[in-house]
Amino acid sequence: MTGNPLGVLSDEQAAQAWRLMEAAGVKADYESVPEASHMMHQSDPARYAEIFTRWAAALAPAP
């Protein structure tokens, strides 16, 4: 490991991206997971699935 982050987005950068999307009328969700690796789906599949499932459930209205 080099100590250089790969694919990292700071909370400030993510917040600015979120503000820009919201200002453009795009619904965006953001969840900070600072301990996650860039390939979270491989390094922590249970956590990834939990976050993804919660997000996907919010997309479709309940029957």
Side-chain angles (χ1 to χ4, degrees):
M1 186 148 229
T2 66
N4 294 324
L6 174 65
V8 172
L9 185 69
S10 73
D11 283 342
E12 294 83 16
Q13 290 169 319
Q16 178 62 13
W18 182 79
R19 284 191 294 271
L20 291 170
M21 287 183 278
E22 290 282 315
V26 176
K27 182 182 178 317
D29 296 312
Y30 171 71
E31 184 160 342
S32 179
V33 188
E35 72 281 2
S37 73
H38 183 68
M39 307 255 310
M40 183 180 182
H41 62 285
Q42 288 181 343
S43 63
D44 192 353
R47 178 81 188 270
Y48 175 82
E50 183 270 321
I51 292 169
F52 185 84
T53 301
R54 187 169 8 101
W55 171 78
L59 293 178

